[in-house]
Structure formats: structure tokens, C-alpha cells
Amino acid sequence: MPVRKVRPGPRVLTAALCATLAVIGYMTVSPEEATPPAAPAPRAAAKNAGPQAAPLPAAPAAPPGVGPVTRTQIPDSTSQALVVTGKTRDTNVATAVLYERDGTGKWRQAAGPWTAHNALRGWTTHHVAGDLRTPIGVFRIGDAGGRLPDPGALLPYDQDEEFVSPGTGFLGEPLEGSFDYVVAIDYNRLPGTTPLNKERPLGPERGGGVWVHVDHGGPTQACVSLPADVMRQLLRALNPVREPVIVMGPADEIAR
């Protein structure tokens, strides 16, 4: 009989995936108003001036290899990022590194690098079902599961026999065991639910079921895959308190 953990209800994401733009207003004045008043007589400096406003904290720096444009998609509240980069848009072998941000705002390498696979035809900024490309961008990762028992995940973990992957891959390799451990990528899915949830907010034509899962030795349909021991390590490291994200795509585009 499958073991299933009681999962919390859908979680409300508290951080937007884009930067806030500041809006500056201007005031129009008449020529009379534009005339400067006479300078007042000199005054002695105030002895007990009130406290000055503290400067606003700088936005957190970006993980290594992540450029300023991509950085704007990472919520300021996020302090854990799995960065997956390929050499070009058309490659299906990638490198994955887990970074964490400390209390000073600096990002450090927490684990990796690891060799990963992505989709057969590479990457895309407009993923559609069947294009055999992995979506480029920054996405939340907050739900996990798999066919095997929970290895100690901090994320909500759904053990279910439905995590099956029959057949063979693009290189003729067996797919069995690929879904022993998975982490759902919040692309066209309902966050806060099992990775098996098939709701597609963008519509089925935009694909779905994009996961980080166990590597089977070849390219994927759209997912990112890592070795089984790395998946266990990742599941024990990803912490929902840190609001983790995955940053993925060709290295040159992520660096913009």
C-alpha cells in the first residue's frame, strides 16, 4: 500500500518573480514660483539634530554566472538557487550548482557542480508541449515526491507508485527509476500540490510536468535530470524557508 504524506494546502507565494519599477513624478511651476526667494540670514548649525534616515539596503547580489537581467526574476526573499546552465541553446548536457545566500547578502556555492541533462533539443523561452526543449528562466521549486520513500526531504514529499517511467529514452537507455525522486519546477503548474497534479494554468498546449528527476543517461523531454545520489542530496538540502528557485538556460543568456 503506497505511503503518502499529508500535504499542506496550496501555499501562497509571497514574492513576485519580477523587479518593482520606481515611478518618479514631476511638478510644473509658474515663472513667478520659479523665482528663488531671498536667501535667509545665516543661522547657527543645530546642535541636537535628529537621527538621519538609514540608507535602504542594497538588493541581494546574484549567484555566480547570473546576470542583472536574470537577477531581477529572483525574489529578494530567496536565499537558495539551483543554477543549471548549458553551453548553447541546442545542447542537452548541462552543469548544475546549488548556491545559498548568507546573512551579508553574498551567494556561496553550497553543493556541486554536477553534470545534468536537459531536453533533447536544448532550451527555449517559449516552451510548448512536444517541442523537446527545456524552459529558460527562473522558477520556484517547492514540492517533491517519488516512487521511493522520502530520503529526508525538507520540501513536502509525496511517495506514490504513480511516479513511473516505462520505456526507453532517446539513446535507447531504460527510463525505469527516473521518477524515483523528483522535484517539481513551477512551470505551468499549481504550486503547493504534488508533482503529479495535472492542472495547467497556461493551458495544456504550453506543456507541463517539468521536473528535476533522476538521470537515465540521456536527454529528457523537457526536464532536468541529475544522478540518484545527487537527487537525494538535493532533497535534503532544499529548504522551503529559503524559498528556493531554479535558474536554468544557456549560460550566455543566464549571464545577461
Side-chain angles (χ1 to χ4, degrees):
M1 181 175 182
V3 177
R4 189 188 295 271
K5 283 190 175 181
V6 177
R7 301 175 58 83
R11 294 189 291 277
V12 177
L13 299 181
T14 59
L17 297 181
C18 59
T20 305
L21 300 178
V23 179
I24 303 175
Y26 294 88
M27 179 180 293
T28 303
V29 297
S30 65
E32 291 77 14
E33 293 171 323
T35 303
R43 295 179 60 187
K47 292 184 179 181
N48 297 313
Q52 299 297 311
L56 294 175
V66 176
V69 175
T70 306
R71 165 66 190 89
T72 63
Q73 302 175 53
I74 302 176
D76 287 351
S77 54
T78 288
S79 60
Q80 203 169 43
L82 177 63
V83 179
V84 183
T85 53
K87 289 186 177 180
T88 71
R89 271 211 176 201
D90 300 323
T91 54
N92 52 50
V93 177
T95 300
V97 181
L98 180 65
Y99 292 100
E100 293 180 347
R101 181 164 58 87
D102 62 25
T104 68
K106 294 182 179 179
W107 289 87
R108 64 178 182 82
Q109 184 173 322
W114 307 297
T115 299
H117 279 101
N118 55 285
L120 177 67
R121 294 176 181 166
W123 305 89
T124 181
T125 55
H126 187 80
H127 176 61
V128 295
D131 66 2
L132 299 181
R133 290 184 178 271
T134 301
I136 298 171
V138 178
F139 306 95
R140 296 274 192 172
I141 43 177
D143 300 287
R147 186 181 62 86
L148 297 183
D150 184 351
L154 300 177
L155 301 176
Y157 187 92
D158 179 29
Q159 183 190 0
D160 200 305
E161 291 297 328
E162 291 186 28
F163 286 101
V164 293
S165 49
T168 57
F170 295 109
L171 304 180
E173 74 281 11
L175 299 179
E176 183 179 359
S178 299
F179 302 157
D180 282 354
Y181 304 111
V182 310
V183 175
I185 297 172
D186 285 356
Y187 168 82
N188 199 18
R189 72 177 297 268
L190 186 63
T193 64
T194 172
L196 294 171
N197 189 300
K198 293 181 171 54
E199 294 185 60
R200 301 289 178 253
L202 301 177
E205 68 279 359
R206 293 298 303 276
V210 181
W211 299 342
V212 183
H213 63 68
V214 176
D215 188 71
H216 45 76
T220 69
Q221 296 276 343
C223 300
V224 170
S225 63
L226 290 164
D229 61 330
V230 174
M231 285 299 300
R232 287 189 289 269
Q233 180 181 354
L234 192 62
L235 284 166
R236 297 182 188 117
L238 291 174
N239 190 339
V241 173
R242 289 181 171 270
E243 300 185 30
V245 298
I246 184 169
V247 183
M248 57 186 192
D252 61 343
E253 297 189 43
I254 294 300
R256 293 176 183 170

